[in-house]
Structures are given as structure tokens and as C-alpha cells.
Amino acid sequence: MERRVAIIGAGTSGLVACKYLLEFGFSPTVFEVDDGVGGLWRHTMESTKLQSNKQGYQFMDFPWPSSVKENNPNHNQVLQYLNSYAEHFSLIPYIRFNSKVIDIDYVGGESSEEMKSWEYWGGNGRPFCSKGTWHISVQHTKNLSLEVHKAEFVVLCIGKYSGFPNIPEFPPGQGPEVFNGKVMHSMDYSNLDNETATELVKGKRVTIIGSQKSALDLAAECANANGVTNPCTIIQRTSYWFFPDFNSWGVIVGFLYFNRFAELFVHKPGEPFFLGLLATLLSPMRWGISKVLENILKWKLPLKKYGLVPNHSFLHDLSTCLLGVFPDNFFDKLKEGTILIKNSQSFSFCREGVMIDGESKPIESDLVIFATGYKGDEKIKNIFKSPIFQNYIVGPATSTVPLYREIIHPRIPQLAIIGYADSVSNIFASEIRSLWLLHFLNGNVELPSIRDMEKNVKEWEENMKRYGGTYSWKSCIASWGIWYNDQLCKDIKSNPRRKNGFFAEWFEPYGLTDYVGLTRK
């Protein structure tokens, strides 16, 4: 059987997957809808920069160049870094740019009845084992020609924060259709070039719906463009825990949460009885640490004054990868009145703007921007042509995308997904998952039965719901990232203990540098 591998997407996940495929002797084909690499970093706002310092966002074997002095490089510097990575490892010749994947279809394989009876993934647990071939329908974005490419294995690296914007639904007569101004999603705003985006908001009364990172960044850009003449209004339903910066705070959080000792405080998927009992006994300490950080943030920042105190714990946002960093000078803008914050559980449109709870007059607006996130599950679901695979990949609304090791679906053969589950450093998470995948493709990882994989997936989902609640769909592994990496290391027969000495192993934060030199072949 041939071993053709196709990668869909040339963002960070697609690039690192391509690099490891080449290193392991494969010759992949990468399909990318844009005319360059970088994924989301090609479609960001002018003010976007790394929230963490650059040491936490880099490839294991490709450090940032010495010419980048900033701790938090801007989006252009990140994009240049990703381009340098692709050029350094000669990835560009394997990428087909301006190639939009319409759908993928598993053709010529076993019947659905046969596949349901499988005991092991793909029939026997091996990556290149089934009769079927993936047919990848690709449209060239320039001339709109359509081609079908074939591959024995597909790696989806399409992310979940693009493509399918999440737009709230409204009763008849209360939605954007009654508004006299313009309505758009932050995705469309981010796709504009900087000059066009500035012209769009300049001189306008802008209202932003949302309260996560993109909403705050948007508000800061509007405030810079309009000042106090036309203040930008944020309508938020829920506040989240944000830092003034992540350079000093990241060190604190690292020692409090991102080491082996800290992970003793939380329940972990598949943990033995003793570790579960220990996590229960240490829960008061877990609660106390969270409260200390919350109180420090409330003391350092005027959160209460501006209605920015979350009604949930710091640990909740950490466990759902919702922690963020305030834009530069954000509280100065609140103080001078160039940004206004309104808290409301519901809102509706009228001719003049937006109506919110408790106010008789509308927020008069010329432009309303939804910063309300994306439907990442729908994006992954819709790339499959088969309704059966669509149902496999996206179950009930309360479920996560069911991936074993956050990489493969137990019942979809010859396919992997890299970059879906969130982590503290997504670039490193994609790299270690790509490394695991390539060991699997080379026959160095033995999968359990489908039944055991599904049991494992369920354990991880229940653990995410324990700490993430309604946000468990984000598949965030930040609170037990070391535990997760341990599983990957054991699978590829590498030592999961990456530090020297007892104290370092248990109390120093774990990061990507600890995994440099991880066995690759």
C-alpha cells in the first residue's frame, strides 16, 4: 500500500507536521488556502502580538533570531518567524498555496457496517491498513479550478478559530436586520488590511459584542482611532481573568500551576486511586491559591471599578485556556473614557443601535462588531463529505471532539487532527503531537482497542467538564499538561521525567525546553 500523506493547512500545526513527516522519510503534500504560511497570524489586527514571551512560543529546534529583541513580538514578527522556519527546513516546495480544500471523502474502503465491527483502529491498529483512500477536493482560489487529490493518510491542521464565525441568534425584529448601521464579525475585521480597518472605524460610534481577547483588542484599536470624540462601547455578558502582562505574571503562574507538584492538586484523566484521593485532599489548597491570585489581580487593577471582576475562579479560566493579557494602556483608555464597558446578559438591535438590559435608551452606533468566537466543531465537521464521519467527529453540543491523545478519532481511519486541543503553548503542543503521530505512522506506537480508546476519550472529556464546565468543548489541557505529555512520551517509549534532580522535577515549571532532544527515531 502506498503511503501518501496530505496535510490540510500551513499554519503552525501544518508546518511542524510537514517538518516531522519529511524528517521521518515521508513526502507530504500540504494544501493551504492562502498564498503564504502562517494561518491565523496572516489574519490578525494591527495591535496583535504574542501574549506570552517568545521563549514560550517557539519551535523546539528553531529559536527566535537574535534580531528580535522584544519579549512579546508583534504579529508581523511572528509571521516572519514562521516563514523563516518553513524556509530553514525547506518546507515551501511541499506546500500548494491558494488551494482551498472543499471536503475530504474516504473512498473504496470497508462498508460502514464493517467499520463499526472493528476491534482496532482501521481494522488492525496500524496507520496504513485499510482498503480506503482519502479523496481531497481542492479548489484553486485564483482560477477556481477543481481537482481531486488522493492520499492514504490525512492530517487536518485547520484550527478552530477561523472560518465559521459564531453569530448569536435573535428573535424576529430584534436582530441586525433592523439596524441602520453596519454589522460584522471580528473575523471579517481581522481580514482587512491595517489601513482599511482604520478607515472603517474612524469617526464612527463602534459597539463591540464580547469580552474575550479579540473584543478588548478591537476596542483598543477603535479607541486609538477615535479618542473621546467617539468612544468605543464593549457589551459583555461574562468577564474573564486577564493579566496586565504575562512576562512577570507568567513566572508566578508557572510555579503555582505548571509543575508536577501543582498537578497533584487537580484530578487527572485515568489517574490511579491514590492520586485521585490526593487531589481531593489538596482541593482546599487549590482553592486558596486561586483566591490569592484573584485578590492580587483585584488589588493591582481597578477591575471592580469598571465591572471587570469575573464571577468564576481563576482556575476555571486556566482550565479552559481563557486567560489573557489586557491590551497596552487599556485601563488608561477606560479612565479617559475612550472605552466604555456595559454589562448585560442580553441585548437586541434597534434602528439606532443596540438595546441592553436595564437601559431605556439604545447605545447609538454606526458599526457593531461581534467578537463572539467561532464554531470550531462545525468547521471540522463540514470538511468531511461522509455524514457518518460528520456524526463521529461532532457529537452532542455538550461534548468535545472525541480524539484519542487529542490526535486521532477512534473510528475514523487514516486521519489525524493536530492543533485542535488548546494548551499553554499551542506551538509546542502541535510539535509534540506531531512527533507522536510520526512515531505512530512509522509503527513505533501501539494503539489500544477502539473500546479502550473511547473509554480514554470519555475520561478526558469528563475531566475537562469537571473544571471547564460549559467551556469544556475547548479541549484545554493546561491544568494537567505535564500529565498529558507524560502519556505521549510513554507511547513513543521516551522517558517522561525530563528534568535533573528531585526538586527540579517536582517544583520547577515544565516548558518546551524540557522536551528538546526527545527521541525522534
Side-chain angles (χ1 to χ4, degrees), residues 33-67:
V33 66
D34 283 326
D35 57 6
V37 305
L40 278 179
W41 287 105
R42 298 181 61 83
H43 305 281
T44 61
M45 291 174 276
E46 183 179 7
S47 59
T48 302
K49 61 181 182 179
L50 278 182
Q51 295 196 78
S52 61
N53 60 50
K54 60 179 181 285
Q55 285 75 25
Y57 190 90
Q58 65 180 5
F59 299 101
M60 286 194 286
D61 53 2
F62 192 74
W64 282 84
S66 58
S67 58

Side-chain angles (χ1 to χ4, degrees), residues 141-352:
T141 59
K142 300 296 185 182
N143 58 28
L144 302 183
S145 61
L146 191 66
E147 297 178 347
V148 176
H149 296 267
K150 298 178 181 180
E152 279 67 47
F153 203 97
V154 169
V155 186
L156 289 181
C157 301
I158 59 177
K160 58 183 176 183
Y161 297 116
S162 65
F164 279 70
N166 179 39
I167 305 292
E169 296 182 358
F170 298 88
Q174 297 182 29
E177 72 278 359
V178 303
F179 176 48
N180 283 339
K182 181 179 178 63
V183 178
M184 65 191 306
H185 191 271
S186 58
M187 178 186 75
D188 302 310
Y189 180 89
S190 298
N191 285 335
L192 301 173
D193 61 75
N194 295 336
E195 184 177 345
T196 304
T198 301
E199 283 300 312
L200 175 67
V201 302
K202 195 169 183 62
K204 293 186 177 68
R205 298 166 297 177
V206 182
T207 297
I208 296 169
I209 312 295
S211 54
Q212 294 185 22
K213 179 61 176 171
S214 59
L216 303 192
D217 285 347
L218 265 170
E221 288 200 6
C222 293
N224 290 335
N226 293 324
V228 294
T229 307
N230 288 304
C232 177
T233 302
I234 298 175
I235 299 177
Q236 67 171 15
R237 185 170 60 181
T238 306
S239 296
Y240 298 93
W241 291 105
F242 276 59
F243 297 117
D245 68 77
F246 203 74
N247 294 319
S248 58
W249 285 89
V251 175
I252 297 172
V253 174
F255 277 97
L256 291 178
Y257 287 101
F258 301 145
N259 56 52
R260 286 194 184 277
F261 181 70
E263 287 198 0
L264 293 177
F265 299 179
V266 295
H267 290 278
K268 296 167 284 296
E271 65 190 358
F273 173 79
F274 173 74
L275 287 182
L277 177 61
L278 193 60
T280 299
L281 294 174
L282 293 175
S283 60
M285 188 175 293
R286 179 177 71 234
W287 177 88
I289 290 173
S290 184
K291 286 301 175 184
V292 167
L293 277 174
E294 292 166 22
N295 288 327
I296 291 175
L297 284 168
K298 287 188 285 188
W299 172 60
K300 284 279 189 182
L301 303 171
L303 300 180
K304 186 175 181 180
K305 179 179 179 180
Y306 296 109
L308 292 170
V309 178
N311 57 11
H312 55 259
S313 71
F314 180 90
L315 180 63
H316 173 275
D317 283 357
L318 175 70
S319 301
T320 51
C321 295
L322 287 171
L323 294 178
V325 174
F326 285 112
D328 293 339
N329 306 313
F330 184 73
F331 287 96
D332 291 338
K333 293 178 171 62
L334 289 173
K335 184 177 180 180
E336 67 192 16
T338 56
I339 295 177
L340 306 176
I341 295 179
K342 302 282 188 178
N343 289 287
S344 180
Q345 289 301 304
S346 63
F347 65 93
S348 60
F349 284 87
C350 61
R351 290 170 59 87
E352 298 84 6

Side-chain angles (χ1 to χ4, degrees), residues 18 32 41 76 93 135 293 303-304 390 412 442 450 485 496 511:
C18 180
E32 169 55 47
W41 287 105
N76 287 321
H135 287 206
L293 277 174
L303 300 180
K304 186 175 181 180
Q390 287 182 352
I412 301 180
N442 251 16
I450 290 176
N485 290 336

